[in-house]
């Protein structure tokens, strides 16, 4: 599977910059589009879907029933996101914006894959 085959939205605008939008638990690639349009109205928007499904809710990584991060899942999510972003950067170029589970994934990706 190609990294860019991950479900995502790519909305082309007039700017050369792209805003990366990472949704929170239970949302999908459509959730933060209105926020992205308000934050950076002329920027392209790139919004990937979290690949973990817990109890019917999209997430980027798993949590335990008590709400703690599953470390192995965070590491895997960061690696998958880095692979997606590496492929996407060849196509798009961007800055990041995340909410909740998406913000945690953005931080984990930056820490584990600073490039």
């Amino acid at each position: 599977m190609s990294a860019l085959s991950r479900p995502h939205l790519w909305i082309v605008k007039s700017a050369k910059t792209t805003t990366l939008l990472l949704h929170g638990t239970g949302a999908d690639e459509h959730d933060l589009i209105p926020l992205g349009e308000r934050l950076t109205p002329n920027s392209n928007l790139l919004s990937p879907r979290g690949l973990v499904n817990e109890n019917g809710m999209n997430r980027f990584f798993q949590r335990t029933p008590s709400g703690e991060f599953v470390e192995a899942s965070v590491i895997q999510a960061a690696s998958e996101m880095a692979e997606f972003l590496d492929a996407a950067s060849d196509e798009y170029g961007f800055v990041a914006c995340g909410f909740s589970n998406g913000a945690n994934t953005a931080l984990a990706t930056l820490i584990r894959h600073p490039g």
Side-chain angles (χ1 to χ4, degrees):
M1 175 169 106
S2 149
L4 288 180
S5 66
R6 173 191 200 121
H8 69 280
L9 290 178
W10 167 240
I11 299 173
V12 179
K13 302 281 184 122
S14 59
K16 291 184 180 184
T17 59
T18 296
T19 300
L20 174 66
L21 303 167
L22 301 175
H23 65 77
T25 299
D28 65 17
E29 62 274 22
H30 300 272
D31 190 60
L32 294 180
I33 296 299
L35 176 64
E37 290 176 338
R38 291 189 83 145
L39 288 174
T40 55
N42 297 320
S43 291
N44 305 310
L45 302 175
L46 175 60
S47 186
R49 182 187 307 163
L51 299 177
V52 172
N53 185 309
E54 278 189 350
N55 301 317
M57 296 187 297
N58 295 318
R59 299 180 55 87
F60 289 96
F61 60 88
Q62 297 171 321
R63 287 187 171 215
T64 66
S66 63
E68 297 171 358
F69 292 3
V70 175
E71 186 176 350
S73 183
V74 174
I75 291 168
Q76 179 179 345
S79 294
E80 290 169 351
M81 185 60 67
E83 183 180 338
F84 174 77
L85 296 178
D86 185 49
S89 68
D90 292 341
E91 292 283 323
Y92 311 134
F94 46 83
V95 297
C97 171
F99 177 76
S100 186
N101 190 258
N104 294 323
T105 302
L107 179 60
T109 303
L110 288 171
I111 290 170
R112 296 198 48 86
H113 304 275

